[in-house]
């Protein structure tokens, strides 16, 4: 049987990454160069710095990936590229690299939506089974998606304001914790107790979310306590915040599974690394006879392996881009 090799490039935020994926399932090689340490001192990603670092690193990351795989560009069947959504300057660097390679080696160029990548990171764990519900939780997205088959995405609901990862990062900042805040708040939460009274965010009948209210509640609480000269128990506040967030995410997702009669759940995106969320879903899925797939930790945050996995299915479906493909800061998942 002839195998399909996809060379994938991801540069939508602050990770420069190239991967080679075989048949949409097998990771041959992945290289991820994270700029996190550089951006950490600014307390968040600085777009201009990110694009400049992508320019400096992209060729090196590509060469390293090919070397690691012991393969050549000639052996690739197609080049998959994250065209959006993301930081426009960052996206453009990966896109130009992909277009140059496609032109030079005469390979098909396959456009991949960043969130399709996060979803298909789970295909590297186990082949996806349909119908399924995907909960996408990242720094830019919080969506519940129904998939009846490969590459069919029906959005049931999503955040009306802040994405969940964004709320984690802002809460971490007000607590004086380092960037990115999600992993730090997650760790602290496991060491604390749920003692602070915080609202359950947007507890209604929709599949939408809203995290700006709980974020503001944490910020106000911290400021009020400081004014009164009271100490904040950071671990307890992290635990209370995380419990509310996990409760609403799991509650709405489990309702969607029931309403749509779906027995397969996948979690995707950076916040899928959250231990509280993973544990809670594990228990609920066991109770409700739902099969849960979570990405390996290294595939939760941005990487090109997930773009290669999604890119394989896009390639098989005949999705192609010409060399006038442009990056998009925003675009619906389709
Ligand atoms: O998917 P991702 O790498 O980038 C986007 O596409 O947005 O997600 C990054 C986000 C950040 O907001 C980060 O704080 C959050 O994922 N994150 C976490 C955890 N690990 C990363 N949030 C909560 N708990 C974690 N363990
Ligand atoms: Zn992402």
């Amino acid at each position: 049987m002839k195998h399909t090799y996809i060379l994938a490039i991801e540069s939508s935020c602050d990770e420069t990454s190239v991967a080679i994926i075989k048949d949409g399932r097998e990771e041959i090689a992945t290289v991820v160069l994270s700029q996190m340490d550089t951006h950490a001192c600014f307390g968040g990603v600085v777009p201009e710095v990110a694009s400049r670092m992508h320019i400096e690193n992209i060729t090196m990351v590509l060469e390293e990936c090919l070397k690691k795989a012991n393969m050549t560009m000639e052996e690739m069947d197609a080049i998959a590229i994250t065209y959006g959504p993301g930081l426009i300057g960052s996206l453009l660097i990966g896109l130009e690299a992909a277009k140059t390679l496609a032109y030079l080696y005469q390979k098909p160029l396959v456009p991949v939506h960043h969130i399709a990548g996060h979803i298909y990171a789970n295909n590297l764990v186990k082949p996806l089974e349909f119908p399924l519900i995907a909960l996408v939780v990242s720094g830019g997205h919080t969506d519940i998606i129904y998939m009846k088959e490969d590459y069919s995405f029906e959005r049931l609901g999503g955040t009306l304001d802040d994405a969940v990862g964004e709320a984690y990062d802002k809460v971490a900042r007000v607590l004086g914790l380092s960037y990115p805040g999600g992993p730090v708040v997650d760790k602290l939460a496991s060491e604390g107790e749920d003692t602070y009274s915080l609202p359950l965010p947007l507890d209604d009948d929709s599949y939408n979310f809203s995290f700006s209210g709980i974020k503001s509640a944490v910020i106000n609480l911290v400021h009020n306590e400081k004014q009164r000269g009271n100490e904040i128990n950071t671990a307890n506040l992290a635990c209370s915040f995380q419990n509310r967030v996990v409760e609403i995410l799991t509650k709405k997702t489990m309702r969607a599974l029931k309403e749509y009669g779906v027995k397969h759940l996948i979690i995707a995106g950076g916040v899928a690394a959250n231990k509280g969320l993973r544990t809670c879903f594990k228990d609920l899925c066991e109770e409700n006879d739902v099969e849960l797939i979570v990405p390996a930790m290294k595939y939760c945050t941005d990487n090109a392996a997930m773009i290669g996995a999604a890119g394989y299915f896009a390639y098989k479906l005949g999705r192609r881009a010409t060399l006038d493909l442009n990056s998009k800061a925003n675009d619906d998942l389709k």
Side-chain angles (χ1 to χ4, degrees):
M1 192 186 102
K2 185 188 170 324
H3 295 295
T4 304
Y5 292 94
I6 305 281
L7 180 113
I9 302 180
E10 155 67 39
S11 69
S12 65
C13 192
D14 60 341
E15 267 95 18
T16 320
S17 182
V18 177
I20 295 169
I21 300 294
K22 180 178 166 187
D23 299 332
R25 287 237 44 226
E26 197 183 320
E27 179 192 24
I28 303 297
T30 304
V31 177
V32 183
L33 203 155
S34 175
Q35 309 170 359
M36 206 184 283
D37 292 348
T38 306
H39 298 289
C41 54
F42 300 107
V45 177
V46 183
E48 286 76 9
V49 174
S51 353
R52 220 165 293 161
M53 291 185 78
H54 283 304
I55 297 180
E56 284 166 17
N57 295 328
I58 187 77
T59 318
M60 201 166 60
V61 172
L62 170 70
E63 281 173 356
E64 198 181 322
C65 181
L66 287 165
K67 196 168 147 201
K68 206 169 160 187
N70 196 20
M71 293 182 83
T72 62
M73 278 308 301
E74 283 78 7
E75 291 172 87
M76 300 301 133
D77 291 278
I79 295 161
I81 176 67
T82 308
Y83 71 93
L87 300 172
I88 197 74
S90 291
L91 286 163
L92 279 167
I93 311 305
L95 183 77
E96 286 309 317
K99 285 203 242 180
T100 308
L101 291 170
Y103 177 68
L104 199 60
Y105 294 95
Q106 290 298 299
K107 303 285 179 188
L109 185 63
V110 180
V112 176
H113 190 285
H114 182 75
I115 297 304
H118 275 303
I119 289 174
Y120 276 90
N122 287 287
N123 203 61
L124 297 167
V125 180
K126 199 169 174 279
L128 300 185
E129 285 184 66
F130 301 97
L132 64 77
I133 294 283
L135 174 70
V136 179
V137 276
S138 74
H141 287 80
T142 312
D143 294 311
I144 298 184
I145 292 162
Y146 173 81
M147 290 178 73
K148 68 172 188 310
E149 60 194 5
D150 265 317
Y151 247 80
S152 137
F153 309 104
E154 185 188 336
R155 188 173 178 271
L156 306 183
T159 185
L160 304 174
D161 40 59
D162 290 5
V164 62
E166 195 181 347
Y168 264 96
D169 293 337
K170 287 180 181 162
V171 162
R173 184 183 269 221
V174 76
L175 293 177
L177 307 170
S178 60
Y179 174 86
V184 195
V185 173
D186 187 14
K187 182 164 181 295
L188 270 176
S190 68
E191 295 159 6
E193 282 172 40
D194 188 343
T195 55
Y196 287 95
S197 160
L198 292 172
L200 187 60
L202 198 65
D203 186 19
D204 65 2
D205 291 340
S206 76
Y207 289 119
N208 290 327
F209 298 101
S210 166
F211 295 105
S212 73
I214 191 167
K215 173 197 72 185
S216 302
V218 172
I219 295 172
N220 291 340
L221 194 150
V222 170
H223 289 162
N224 289 341
E225 291 297 298
K226 268 189 190 155
Q227 269 170 3
R228 292 192 193 109
N230 296 336
E231 282 258 328
I232 292 281
N233 185 319
T234 314
N236 287 0
L237 188 50
C239 177
S240 308
F241 168 75
Q242 175 145 312
N243 280 2
R244 253 22 119 250
V245 169
V246 168
E247 183 179 340
I248 200 64
L249 287 173
T250 51
K251 186 176 177 180
K252 292 200 171 181
T253 307
M254 295 313 289
R255 178 150 54 77
L257 285 158
K258 206 174 233 171
E259 189 186 324
Y260 284 77
V262 172
K263 286 288 174 199
H264 300 280
L265 170 65
I266 61 175
I267 323 179
V271 186
N274 187 273
K275 294 211 179 57
L277 190 66
R278 288 166 94 105
T279 309
C280 190
F281 266 129
K282 188 171 169 282
D283 294 345
L284 286 169
C285 287
E286 267 170 24
E287 271 169 38
N288 291 279
D289 193 26
V290 168
E291 192 203 24
L292 170 71
I293 308 182
V294 290
M297 287 305 229
K298 63 176 177 172
Y299 297 136
C300 285
T301 43
D302 294 347
N303 63 84
M306 67 185 199
I307 302 301
Y312 169 81
F313 291 94
Y315 173 71
K316 289 286 165 189
L317 286 169
R319 294 194 181 201
R320 303 286 183 270
T322 48
L323 292 179
D324 59 3
L325 175 69
N326 207 348
S327 300
K328 286 191 176 170
N330 293 300
D331 199 30
D332 288 341
L333 175 59
K334 53 190 179 302

